[in-house]
Amino acid sequence: MANQRLIDKLLKRQEEETKIEVDLKGLADTPFIVKLDKETYKELQKEASESKNEKEVPFLIYAEKLDALVVARSLHDHNEDPVFTGELYEALGTWDAVEAVKKVITFAEEQAIHAAAKECLGYVSSDKLKKENDELKN
């Protein structure tokens, strides 16, 4: 019975637009919001796999580019405006998402954003899942 309630809760979560707050103290005092849906993620995967020539993109380059694109497209400020805008890219002197993310986001912040992005896509950490399951049992 508890498992069915958990399944219902997870299905409901997939129907709603998911927004996850993350604290990135290195960037600002206000929390940031990570928003990402499956359709946008598929577009990012396609963009990461594109190359300037006809050759296939090596996996490590693809993964690095996809990680940067996820951060750049999913991170929003507390007003839900995108953080990585044309103005920011211009100020950084690059239009490359990988370079821009490296200049702005630390590794720890990137990991926090990725964890939130995965949660937006329906992946739930085992700790959070266990906690929800325990709450449903009580």
Side-chain angles (χ1 to χ4, degrees):
M1 185 69 135
N3 285 341
Q4 185 59 46
R5 285 189 288 178
L6 182 60
I7 290 169
D8 292 341
K9 187 175 183 177
L10 291 172
L11 289 174
K12 184 178 180 188
R13 182 184 293 158
Q14 287 181 344
E15 294 170 6
E16 301 168 350
E17 180 185 39
T18 307
K19 297 183 279 189
I20 310 294
E21 272 192 16
V22 290
D23 287 323
L24 305 175
K25 296 296 182 189
L27 294 180
D29 293 335
T30 56
F32 287 86
I33 297 169
V34 175
K35 295 191 303 186
L36 184 66
D37 59 41
K38 291 178 183 178
E39 185 177 317
T40 303
Y41 187 72
K42 286 180 184 177
E43 290 171 13
L44 298 178
Q45 287 177 311
K46 183 179 178 195
E47 188 175 334
S49 66
E50 294 173 353
S51 70
K52 292 179 178 143
N53 53 31
E54 298 299 317
K55 293 182 181 178
E56 187 176 320
V57 176
F59 178 76
L60 292 176
I61 293 172
Y62 165 81
E64 181 180 40
K65 191 172 180 183
L66 180 61
D67 287 349
L69 289 169
V70 166
V71 171
R73 299 272 175 81
S74 68
L75 190 63
H76 295 73
D77 65 17
H78 65 283
N79 293 323
E80 297 191 30
D81 294 324
V83 172
F84 286 84
T85 62
E87 292 173 352
L88 178 63
Y89 283 109
E90 207 170 288
L92 294 172
T94 182
W95 290 96
D96 180 11
V98 174
E99 290 301 314
V101 168
K102 284 180 181 178
K103 288 182 177 183
V104 176
I105 306 293
T106 67
F107 180 73
E109 291 167 336
E110 186 174 346
Q111 295 307 306
I113 295 166
H114 276 278
K118 283 183 179 179
E119 192 171 334
C120 287
L121 296 173
Y123 297 95
V124 182
S125 70
S126 58
D127 293 340
K128 188 170 187 171
L129 194 59
K130 185 179 181 321
K131 182 180 175 187
E132 286 180 359
N133 198 19
D134 289 345
E135 287 173 1
L136 289 173
K137 286 180 182 176
N138 294 331

